[in-house]
Amino acid sequence: MVWGLLEHEEETMKLVTRFEAAAKSTAELHALHTQALQAFTRAARGSDIRRDALTSLETIEAELAARPFGL
């Protein structure tokens, strides 16, 4: 089960670290990427939530790019 980046209706963003991303499966990373993208689009410009979502997106994308195709 993938834990969400958004917690309830507060819509607080949980920053995904490189260590956390490396511990997730590729399918979990794709799900986290979707959640982070949704959080980014919903957050107000210049907010901490938007900044954390963008950082999480970059971390998740870097981890996916570092993996061999198909894993």
Side-chain angles (χ1 to χ4, degrees), residues 5 10 16 18 23-25 39 42 60 65:
L5 296 176
E10 297 172 2
V16 176
R18 284 288 285 195
K24 300 289 181 194
S25 70
R42 289 182 188 146
I60 293 164

Side-chain angles (χ1 to χ4, degrees), residues 49-69:
I49 296 170
R50 191 172 179 120
R51 182 203 50 182
D52 288 349
L54 182 59
T55 303
S56 293
L57 284 168
E58 292 169 347
T59 300
I60 293 164
E61 289 173 359
E63 178 60 29
L64 286 170
R67 293 184 177 197
F69 183 72

